[in-house]
Amino acid sequence: MNLTLHVWRQPSPESKGSFVTYEAESVDRHMSFLEMLDVVNGDLIERGEEPIAFDHDCREGICGSCGMVVNGRPHGPWDDTTVCQLHMRAYEDGDEIWIEPWRAAAFPVVKDLMVDRSSFDRIIAAGGYITARTGSPPDANAIPVPKDVSDRAMDAAECIGCGACVAACPNASAMLFTSAKATHLNLMPQGQPERYRRVLDMVLQMEAENFGNCSNHGACEVACPKGISIENIAMLNRDFLTALAGRAD
Ligand code: SF4
Ligand code: FES
């Protein structure tokens, strides 16, 4: 396949970015999207030009490093799929593809398609931990947890921190991410001692990081490559109100 790529190029956080057009030729349908970019970068390097900067690590959909908006959709056209797991068979010969970074005040562009997501790290640091002694792995199995509760906690724990939810949200809200990171601890017995303090601290940190407010669009849930449910946001809101009412902690 031959494709036309329009890629956001921005040399530094301070500089003004713009789209630059590249022709990607002889693209194999079995390549991943990132492998296609690797080939484009190889050609750029051969020509003495600066390669396109983008984040990646595992390329298996588990680390959360990759992330870019492809034709207006975070992670591209496939449901429940990170952009590193997107393959070029999603496209046809002659297609035009627009590639840009996450757009959010709390995710400033570092370079080209790379954004600074350390705001997520600070939200996790604010409350994403437990202080209860849990012993060794066999000890964890000694604490009975209803199956439906452990399933919901595991589902929330699937969040890989990629930031697609923020990129998809018209308000650039981080509520889906924050709720997933709070819920997987708040549902478990081991997470109860800090439950309400955790919710307060994580939400306050989220607000301090300049993320927008949630207005229930639901675009985050659609964009999430891990299928994180907005039911987690409802639980976070309930716990937040309980914490504010002073009925806990
Ligand atoms: S909730 Fe989904 S979209 Fe948001 S950071 Fe987690 S995995 Fe990514
Ligand atoms: S590179 Fe790890 S999830 Fe895409």
Side-chain angles (χ1 to χ4, degrees):
M1 288 185 291
N2 294 324
L3 304 166
T4 301
L5 310 181
H6 306 283
V7 183
W8 185 261
R9 302 303 309 264
Q10 184 173 336
S12 68
E14 299 77 28
S15 54
K16 195 167 180 278
S18 64
F19 283 102
V20 177
T21 300
Y22 302 99
E23 300 303 328
E25 294 170 351
S26 304
V27 173
D28 191 307
R29 292 170 61 79
H30 302 294
M31 282 176 172
S32 74
F33 197 86
L34 299 191
E35 285 167 345
M36 182 274 294
L37 288 179
D38 290 339
V39 172
V40 170
N41 273 345
D43 292 343
L44 288 173
I45 291 167
E46 272 185 16
R47 297 205 300 265
E49 296 179 34
E50 189 73 16
I52 301 159
F54 60 91
D55 270 322
H56 60 100
D57 189 4
C58 71
R59 298 198 176 201
E60 293 180 344
I62 54 175
C63 76
S65 297
C66 65
M68 55 192 79
V69 175
V70 182
N71 284 349
R73 186 168 169 182
H75 289 300
W78 285 355
D79 290 342
D80 301 328
T81 307
T82 53
V83 73
C84 62
Q85 290 285 287
L86 174 65
H87 281 72
M88 297 314 294
R89 56 184 175 273
Y91 298 95
E92 301 294 336
D93 184 40
D95 276 356
E96 282 191 59
I97 306 176
W98 295 78
I99 309 168
E100 52 192 312
W102 294 164
R103 306 280 189 193
F107 289 161
V109 172
V110 176
K111 185 176 181 182
D112 299 336
L113 306 175
M114 292 175 65
V115 298
D116 178 354
R117 284 172 285 186
S118 57
S119 48
F120 269 13
D121 297 336
R122 290 186 289 274
I123 292 172
I124 293 178
Y129 57 85
I130 61 169
T131 55
R133 291 178 63 84
T134 54
S136 59
D139 296 325
N141 291 330
I143 302 171
V145 180
K147 179 74 166 63
D148 65 313
V149 173
S150 65
D151 282 351
R152 285 167 58 207
M154 286 299 290
D155 287 348
E158 278 195 56
C159 170
I160 54 174
C162 63
C165 46
V166 175
C169 176
N171 308 327
S173 169
M175 278 294 272
L176 193 65
F177 164 80
T178 304
S179 66
K181 293 301 175 196
T183 297
H184 81 96
L185 298 173
N186 287 348
L187 282 168
M188 302 298 282
Q190 298 90 336
Q192 296 312 303
E194 294 91 11
R195 176 171 176 171
Y196 297 99
R197 169 54 51 196
R198 169 181 303 117
V199 166
L200 276 180
D201 289 345
M202 292 178 87
V203 169
L204 290 176
Q205 188 63 40
M206 178 183 71
E207 291 180 351
E209 297 290 350
N210 216 10
F211 289 104
N213 292 322
C214 174
S215 49
N216 295 319
H217 279 261
C220 53
E221 186 182 57
V222 176
C224 176
K226 295 295 155 185
I228 301 296
S229 167
I230 53 175
E231 285 178 13
N232 292 300
I233 297 179
M235 181 171 169
L236 184 79
N237 282 333
R238 282 196 298 274
D239 280 355
F240 186 71
L241 287 175
T242 302
L244 282 185
R247 275 182 275 154
D249 206 13

